[in-house]
Amino acid sequence: MSTLNQTNVPYLDGWRGMAIILVLIGHFGPARFWYLGRLGVMLFFVLSGFFMARLLFIKKVPLSSFFAKRFSRIVPTLWLFIVVMYFYARYGQPKPYVIPLDELLSTFLFMGTYFPAQISIWAGNWSNGHLWSLNVEEHSYLFLAAGAFLIAKTRGRLSTRMFMLGAVLAIMGVTLLYMTGLITDGTSPWRTHTEVAALGLIASAAISVLRNREQSGWFNTSPVVPIVALAAAAITFNPRYAFLWNVSILVAPVLAAVVVNHAENFPALIKQWMSLRILRWFGVCSFSIYLWQMPLFSRVLDGTISKPLGLVLGVALGTLSFYCFENPVRLYLNRRWAEHEMNQAARLGGIQA
């Protein structure tokens, strides 16, 4: 999943670490905690929305820099994973699977939840089921960037508030249409579709924008707000409460978005716990761990290996991926991009002179 080094806020790194740990518990822990994996993904989404809003609508970074950083952070490691999984699916996994060209291309292009229409991303033929969440994030980044571009071009006729609140309401409306059966979901489950699953990310971005305009007031400064919202999200998300579980797709992401946007108001003890070195380390390595734990989880599901062994191997593979590929490649690409920007600025300065 995605991170932003611009923040350097320890308890937010810890938040990311909690998210990946929840995913690992959902996959490799006791079966009754399976839903924690979904909760972990939701925590990733709301954190991404929080950061994206600050970059695009508050700091207003150039879109070229925004996408360059997104590319360096996500694409090389993801494409490496896809290539390795292609050969593993064909030659290494217990039930070989030759990935069709259209399915392979849609996976490379973050479209696996929509195309090919006849293959669900959760079909289980190879280790790509978890990539639905990356599709949601990348689609959301494009949507938010397009919104920032339109807002800048309309020069105030389209306000950031109007855009963000309209997006949240639109997602809720589409979700209700899916829930009531008025529109069908296709092969991949509708809960994996961006127009539904992006609610937490977009709601978090919207709250971040609103809080930036209105920083004072009890709601924005009280430690009670994130604590109550967190408790309400946990209750809503618990599958033991059947009715709440059915509506949690509309309620829990918004509550989680409230929590992450008010995390600075948590009591000091909670922020210290969230800043623990082990949590922050998991947060730093979270994207690689998220990718590479999946083939091990698949082997757990088919009974090839045990859950403890799958957990250890998944974290080990993710760690190896981060230190040997993800981080070095990201730093290299970011350095080259910074050099490119400096050269561009120097050329422009020379022309103006």
Side-chain angles (χ1 to χ4, degrees), residues 1-3 41 44-45 48 70 73-75 77-79 81-82 106-113 121 127-142 192 194 197 201 286-288 290-292:
M1 311 297 277
S2 60
T3 65
V41 170
F44 277 125
F45 283 164
S48 291
R70 291 294 84 213
R73 178 66 180 88
I74 298 295
V75 174
T77 308
L78 174 64
W79 283 3
F81 174 81
I82 295 171
S106 70
T107 304
F108 272 110
L109 298 175
F110 301 99
M111 295 301 294
T113 42
I121 197 170
S127 298
N128 69 323
H130 61 323
L131 301 185
W132 72 271
S133 62
L134 297 183
N135 297 342
V136 172
E137 289 208 6
E138 296 308 310
H139 299 165
S140 298
Y141 298 161
L142 289 172
T192 66
T194 301
L201 194 154
S286 60
F287 179 56
S288 279
Y290 182 76
L291 285 178
W292 294 97

Side-chain angles (χ1 to χ4, degrees), residues 93-109:
Q93 67 184 25
K95 186 178 180 181
Y97 178 68
V98 180
I99 304 171
L101 181 60
D102 55 353
E103 184 179 4
L104 187 64
L105 288 176
S106 70
T107 304
F108 272 110
L109 298 175

Side-chain angles (χ1 to χ4, degrees), residues 7 49-61 208-209 211-212 261 264:
T7 59
F50 172 79
F51 287 147
M52 293 307 108
R54 292 187 173 276
L55 286 175
L56 291 170
F57 300 110
I58 298 173
K59 293 184 178 180
K60 297 182 180 179
V61 301
S208 182
V209 168
R211 287 198 74 220
N212 186 62
N261 275 278
E264 65 193 53

Side-chain angles (χ1 to χ4, degrees), residues 11-12 15 18 39 42-43 45-47 50 54 200 203-205 207-208 211 219-236 251-267 270-271 273-274:
Y11 58 81
L12 291 182
W15 177 288
M18 287 190 296
L39 177 59
M42 185 177 68
L43 295 185
F45 283 164
V46 297
L47 190 60
F50 172 79
R54 292 187 173 276
S204 184
I207 294 171
S208 182
R211 287 198 74 220
F219 190 81
N220 282 332
T221 58
S222 173
V224 174
V225 172
I227 293 174
V228 171
L230 183 61
I235 294 172
T236 303
V251 177
V254 177
L255 291 170
V258 171
V259 178
V260 74
N261 275 278
H262 293 80
E264 65 193 53
N265 299 331
F266 271 125
I270 294 180
K271 288 194 286 188
W273 179 80
M274 292 173 64

